[in-house]
C-alpha cells in the first residue's frame, strides 16, 4: 500500500496568518518560527499562502504597511489527507513550493506537508530499527497500561525525551513524559477515571500532569512506593524565544518539531507506544551519541535560547560519564555571557538539581575550569576540595538537627566566597533572606570562629555565642572547619544540646526571688548549661542550683545599684 499524506503531514494546532494583518506586524513571528510557507486564513478558511521570501522582499521595499492578503498566493495548490505521497511530491516539484496545506472538503486546514516532511519520511523508512520492550523496563507495566488506554481512545502516544534516554541506558526513570498526538487533557482524565489518581494542567506550556495514587497501585498490583510521583502528557509543540534567556513561546506542531526543539541529541528521542509500539524515533542521531557516550547540542543558538542548558550539559556529563563534544564546548563559550541574564530563581533551581547529583563538586570544578561560574556571578568560585565539602555537608555526620541536606550543601557551596561578597551573590541568585544571612554567617565563622575556638572558653560563653548564630551556619562550621577541636566541640553541642532540658520555668525563677526581667532568661540558660555539663543531673540538684543562681543575680544587681549610686 502506498503511503498517504496523512502519514507524514504536520498536524495539530497549526500556525496561520490573518489575511488582514499588516506585514510589519507579522514579520517577527514569521522570522522567529522559521516556516518558509504560511497558510493565510480568512473567515475560518484558508485563502492563500504567504512565502517567507515574498515577505522579506516586501519589507526590503518598505512595504510593511501592506496586508498579508496583498502579497499572498491565492492560486495555491493544496493536498488532501487521502492523497498518496507520490502525488504530493509531484505537486511540490511542479509548483516549486517548499510546503503545501492539507485541506478537507470544507476548506479547513488539516495539516501541512513540506519537502522536509517527505525527506524525513524517506529517511525514517531506512532509519532506526531499534526497539525497546517496554514491559521489561522500569515502570514497564504502567507504561503499557497507559499505552493500552491511549490506543483504545484513538490517541497516538509517544514516550519522549529523558524517559527514553534512561530506558535505553538501562537506568531507573521516575520522570515519565509523553507526547500525545491530540487531546492530552482527555488522556490524563481518562487515566484518572480508569486507574485513579488526580490530574490537572501545568502552566504555561499546556502540559497535563497525572498523579497516581493508592487506587492506581491496586489496579496495577504494585506497591504504591514503586509508582512515579507524577506523569506528564503534552501535545507536540515547537517553540520560539522572544529574547535571549526568556521562557519560550510554544505552539502546536509535529512530533518531529517537538524533538528538534530539545536541548541535546540524547534527549531528542521518542518511542511510539500507541496505537502500536514501534522503533525509536531518532531525528538527530541521538542513538549514535548514546552509544558513543557523547553530549551534543542540537543547534548553534541553543545555549542562547536557554543558557541553563549549559549547566544541564555538565550535569549529564557527570551523571552518565559522557563527553561533551568539542563543538558543543565551543558554543558554550560563545553563549557564556548569557548566563548572567537568567533570572536568579531559574539559576538556583538548576543548581539545586546539580547538587542532587552523585558528584556535584566535580561538575562545579569542571564548569569553573571552563570559566562558566563567574558568568553567573563574578564572585562565584569553588575551592579544589569542594567535592569533600559537599559530601560532608550532604551527610552531616547523621546529626538530626542538621538533616536539611539542601541547606547544608548551599552553605558549603558558598563557603569559599568572601563574606562581604555573599550578599551580592545571594541577591543575584534570589536566595531567601534567612538562608542568605545564615550563609554569610557561616562563611565568616569559617574564617574567624572567635571564642568558639578558644581553648579556655567556658561552656556558657560558647553556648551563649552559638545561640546567636543561625543553626544552619553552626552545622556548616561543624562539617567544614579544619580545627579538629572546634569540630568535636560543635558536633557534641549539635548532638546533645537539643535534648538538654530544664525542669524550671520563668515562674519558678520569679518564685525563687528574682524580679521579672532579662535575668530570668540568663538564669534558665545557666541551668540548661549546668545540665549539659553534668554538674546538674537531678531535679533536686536543679532546685539547689536555681537558688544559687538567683542569689548570685540578686547580689550582682545590688552591687550594680551601689556602684551606680556611688
Amino acid at each position: 500500500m502506498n503511503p498517504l499524506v496523512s502519514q507524514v503531514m504536520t498536524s495539530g494546532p497549526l500556525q496561520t496568518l490573518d489575511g488582514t494583518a499588516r506585514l510589519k506586524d507579522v514579520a517577527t513571528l514569521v522570522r522567529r518560527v522559521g516556516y518558509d510557507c504560511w497558510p493565510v486564513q480568512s473567515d475560518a478558511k484558508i485563502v492563500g499562502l504567504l512565502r517567507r521570501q515574498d515577505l522579506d522582499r516586501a519589507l526590503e521595499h518598505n512595504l510593511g504597511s501592506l496586508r498579508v492578503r496583498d502579497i499572498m498566493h491565492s492560486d495555491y495548490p493544496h493536498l488532501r489527507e487521502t492523497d498518496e505521497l507520490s502525488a504530493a511530491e509531484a505537486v511540490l516539484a511542479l509548483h516549486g513550493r517548499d510546503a503545501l496545506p492539507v485541506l478537507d472538503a470544507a476548506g479547513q486546514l488539516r495539516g501541512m506537508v513540506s519537502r522536509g516532511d517527505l525527506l524525513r519520511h524517506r529517511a525514517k523508512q531506512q532509519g532506526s530499527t531499534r526497539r525497546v520492550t517496554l514491559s521489561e523496563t522500569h515502570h514497564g507495566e504502567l507504561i503499557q497500561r497507559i499505552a493500552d488506554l491511549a490506543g483504545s481512545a484513538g490517541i497516538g502516544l509517544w514516550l519522549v525525551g529523558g524517559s527514553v534516554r534512561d530506558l535505553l541506558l538501562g537506568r531507573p526513570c521516575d520522570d515519565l513524559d509523553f507526547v500525545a498526538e491530540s487531546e492530552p487533557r482527555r488522556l490524563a482524565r481518562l487515566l484518572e477515571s480508569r486507574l485513579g489518581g488526580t490530574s490537572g494542567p501545568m502552566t504555561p506550556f499546556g502540559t497535563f500532569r497525572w498523579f497516581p495514587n493508592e487506587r492506581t497501585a491496586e489496579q496495577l498490583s504494585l506497591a504504591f512506593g514503586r509508582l512515579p510521583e507524577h506523569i506528564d502528557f503534552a501535545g507536540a509543540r515547537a517553540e520560539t524565544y522572544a529574547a535571549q534567556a526568556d521562557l519560550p513561546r510554544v505552539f502546536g506542531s509535529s512530533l518531529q518539531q517537538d524533538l528538534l526543539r530539545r536541548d541535546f541529541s540524547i534527549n531528542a528521542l521518542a518511542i511510539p507506544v500507541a496505537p502500536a509500539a514501534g522503533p525509536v524515533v531518532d531525528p538527530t542521531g541521538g542513538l549514535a551519541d548514546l552509544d558513543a557516550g557523547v553530549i551534543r547540542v542540537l543547534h548553534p543558538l541553543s545555549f542562547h535560547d536557554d543558557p541553563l542548558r549549559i549547566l544541564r550539559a555538565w550535569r549529564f556529563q557527570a551523571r552518565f560519564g559522557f563527553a561533551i563534544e568539542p563543538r558543543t564546548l565551543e558554543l558554550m563559550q560563545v553563549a557564556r555571557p548569557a548566563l548572567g541574564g537568567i533570572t536568579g530563581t531559574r539559576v538556583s533551581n538548576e543548581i539545586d538539581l546539580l547538587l542532587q547529583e552523585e558528584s556535584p563538586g566535580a561538575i562545579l570544578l569542571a564548569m569553573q575550569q571552563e570559566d562558566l561560574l563567574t558568568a553567573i556571578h563574578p564572585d562565584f568560585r569553588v575551592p579544589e576540595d569542594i567535592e569533600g565539602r559537599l559530601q560532608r555537608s550532604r551527610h552531616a555526620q547523621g546529626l538530626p538537627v542538621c538533616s536539611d541536606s539542601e541547606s547544608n550543601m548551599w552553605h558549603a557551596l558558598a563557603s569559599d566566597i568572601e563574606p562581604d561578597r555573599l550578599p551580592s551573590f545571594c541577591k543575584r541568585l534570589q536566595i531567601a533572606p534567612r538562608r542568605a544571612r545564615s550563609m554569610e554567617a557561616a562563611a565568616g565563622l569559617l574564617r574567624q570562629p572567635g571564642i568558639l575556638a578558644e581553648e579556655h572558653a567556658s561552656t556558657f560563653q560558647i553556648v551563649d555565642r552559638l545561640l546567636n548564630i543561625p543553626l544552619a551556619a553552626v552545622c556548616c562550621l561543624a562539617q567544614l572547619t579544619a580545627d579538629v577541636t572546634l569540630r568535636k566541640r560543635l558536633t557534641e553541642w549539635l548532638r546533645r544540646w537539643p535534648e538538654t532540658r530544664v525542669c524550671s520555668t520563668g515562674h519558678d525563677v520569679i518564685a525563687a526571688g528574682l524580679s521579672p526581667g532579662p535575668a530570668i532568661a540568663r538564669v534558665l540558660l545557666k541551668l540548661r548549661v549546668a545540665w549539659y555539663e553534668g554538674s546538674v543531673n537531678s531535679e533536686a540538684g536543679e532546685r539547689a542550683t536555681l537558688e544559687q543562681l538567683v542569689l548570685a543575680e540578686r547580689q550582682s544587681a545590688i552591687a550594680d545599684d551601689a556602684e551606680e549610686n556611688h
Side-chain angles (χ1 to χ4, degrees):
M1 179 178 176
N2 294 325
L4 304 178
V5 164
S6 60
Q7 294 175 255
V8 301
M9 72 180 187
T10 297
S11 58
L14 294 167
Q15 295 277 295
T16 62
L17 298 178
D18 182 352
T20 63
R22 303 283 183 187
L23 298 183
K24 61 184 178 182
D25 295 331
V26 302
T28 299
L29 173 65
V30 170
R31 287 167 176 163
R32 259 188 219 143
V33 175
Y35 293 166
D36 288 319
C37 197
W38 285 76
V40 180
Q41 196 168 18
S42 178
D43 297 327
K45 290 186 178 182
I46 302 302
V47 295
L49 291 179
L50 176 70
R51 296 193 307 173
R52 165 73 181 273
Q53 65 192 74
D54 293 329
L55 173 64
D56 288 341
R57 288 173 62 194
L59 294 175
E60 286 174 4
H61 292 304
N62 297 317
L63 299 176
S65 60
L66 292 180
R67 299 186 185 277
V68 170
R69 67 189 178 203
D70 295 331
I71 67 167
M72 73 180 185
H73 291 256
S74 57
D75 57 342
Y76 64 95
H78 61 271
L79 302 169
R80 304 288 186 194
E81 291 180 89
T82 53
D83 288 343
E84 293 184 358
L85 282 191
S86 57
E89 290 176 328
V91 174
L92 283 167
L94 177 63
H95 293 275
R97 295 285 191 267
D98 296 309
L100 290 175
V102 181
L103 307 182
D104 62 16
Q108 299 293 315
L109 182 65
R110 302 291 299 166
M112 292 286 291
V113 172
S114 68
R115 294 178 186 273
D117 291 328
L118 298 176
L119 290 172
R120 281 189 289 271
H121 177 74
R122 288 181 181 174
K124 183 179 177 182
Q125 302 304 107
Q126 306 169 355
S128 166
T129 58
R130 191 177 307 188
R131 290 176 175 265
V132 177
T133 307
L134 293 174
S135 60
E136 298 176 0
T137 64
H138 192 56
H139 298 311
E141 185 174 349
L142 175 60
I143 294 171
Q144 191 58 57
R145 286 295 294 274
I146 292 171
D148 292 343
L149 283 172
S152 64
I155 299 173
L157 191 67
W158 294 267
L159 187 67
V160 297
S163 310
V164 178
R165 176 201 67 215
D166 288 345
L167 290 179
L168 290 168
L169 291 173
R171 296 174 62 93
C173 177
D174 286 328
D175 187 12
L176 297 179
D177 293 315
F178 290 89
V179 162
E181 186 175 38
S182 61
E183 303 182 277
R185 178 201 293 267
R186 183 164 74 93
L187 180 56
R189 295 285 168 79
L190 182 62
L191 287 164
E192 182 179 339
S193 65
R194 300 287 181 84
L195 296 179
T198 58
S199 66
M202 303 297 294
T203 55
F205 301 130
T207 297
F208 289 86
R209 182 164 286 180
W210 174 53
F211 297 87
N213 62 7
E214 296 280 0
R215 181 188 160 202
T216 313
E218 292 175 8
Q219 292 279 337
L220 298 172
S221 300
L222 294 172
F224 179 62
R226 289 187 56 195
L227 294 176
E229 180 183 338
H230 64 263
I231 298 174
D232 287 346
F233 300 91
R237 62 186 190 240
E239 60 190 25
T240 62
Y241 292 80
Q244 185 172 262
D246 271 4
L247 289 175
R249 173 181 176 271
V250 302
F251 51 89
S253 188
S254 64
L255 175 70
Q256 188 84 12
Q257 290 299 316
D258 190 280
L259 296 178
L260 293 175
R261 73 177 173 81
R262 294 172 184 267
D263 47 13
F264 308 108
S265 62
I266 60 173
N267 292 334
L269 300 167
I271 298 175
V273 298
V280 177
V281 179
D282 174 23
T284 67
L287 288 173
D289 285 340
L290 269 184
D291 292 340
V294 170
I295 296 170
R296 185 188 311 276
V297 76
L298 290 187
H299 62 85
L301 293 177
S302 180
F303 294 135
H304 294 273
D305 287 342
D306 185 0
L308 283 182
R309 289 171 174 170
I310 294 174
L311 277 71
R312 215 165 294 145
W314 288 102
R315 280 203 292 117
F316 293 152
Q317 183 266 343
R319 183 189 303 176
F320 305 127
F322 284 8
I324 300 176
E325 62 100 19
R327 179 57 177 161
T328 298
L329 285 172
E330 291 176 2
L331 293 172
M332 284 182 186
Q333 290 302 320
V334 174
R336 178 186 177 278
L339 283 169
I342 313 172
T343 65
T345 300
R346 291 189 67 212
V347 177
S348 293
N349 289 341
E350 192 67 31
I351 292 176
D352 279 334
L353 294 174
L354 184 155
L355 293 176
Q356 293 172 27
E357 296 291 335
E358 186 176 337
S359 301
I363 304 172
L364 291 163
L365 286 173
M367 291 183 64
Q368 182 163 272
Q369 188 171 356
E370 295 292 325
D371 197 25
L372 296 170
L373 298 185
T374 52
I376 296 172
H377 187 276
D379 295 297
F380 190 5
R381 293 180 177 82
V382 294
E384 288 299 318
D385 66 341
I386 185 61
E387 184 66 49
R389 294 191 188 198
L390 289 172
Q391 296 299 344
R392 291 198 298 276
S393 299
R394 172 179 280 164
H395 302 294
Q397 300 181 38
L399 295 168
V401 295
C402 299
S403 59
D404 188 345
S405 177
E406 178 188 305
S407 173
N408 295 342
M409 295 183 77
W410 270 98
H411 280 71
L413 175 71
S415 60
D416 210 46
I417 300 175
E418 289 299 323
D420 63 337
R421 298 300 303 155
L422 266 173
S424 170
F425 174 81
C426 292
K427 182 179 180 181
R428 164 69 183 95
L429 271 62
Q430 294 181 278
I431 294 170
R434 183 176 179 181
R435 178 176 289 181
R437 289 192 295 270
S438 181
M439 289 165 59
E440 187 178 350
L445 287 167
L446 281 167
R447 289 157 177 79
Q448 296 181 342
I451 198 169
L452 298 177
E454 291 182 10
E455 183 180 353
H456 301 295
S458 70
T459 304
F460 180 81
Q461 288 176 309
I462 292 170
V463 169
D464 188 53
R465 177 72 180 101
L466 287 171
L467 292 177
N468 288 285
I469 300 171
L471 180 61
V474 180
C475 291
C476 175
L477 183 60
Q479 306 311 314
L480 303 187
T481 180
D483 186 326
V484 177
T485 302
L486 176 58
R487 186 185 311 134
K488 289 181 178 179
R489 178 179 283 176
L490 295 177
T491 302
E492 179 73 7
W493 184 78
L494 289 165
R495 196 181 305 280
R496 291 184 49 225
W497 183 257
E499 306 302 323
T500 303
R501 296 287 185 270
V502 298
C503 304
S504 303
T505 66
H507 294 295
D508 296 323
V509 179
I510 293 172
L514 198 61
S515 299
I520 292 177
R522 190 161 54 245
V523 167
L524 290 173
L525 178 58
K526 288 181 177 179
L527 277 178
R528 193 175 177 187
V529 169
W531 276 99
Y532 180 77
E533 290 180 316
S535 57
V536 169
N537 53 28
S538 67
E539 289 188 34
E542 180 179 311
R543 285 194 296 272
T545 302
L546 173 59
E547 291 176 1
Q548 295 171 8
L549 291 172
V550 168
L551 178 61
E553 285 290 342
R554 292 177 64 185
Q555 290 174 342
S556 176
I558 292 170
D560 289 343
D561 288 342
E563 184 176 344
E564 185 177 336
N565 292 331
H566 179 73

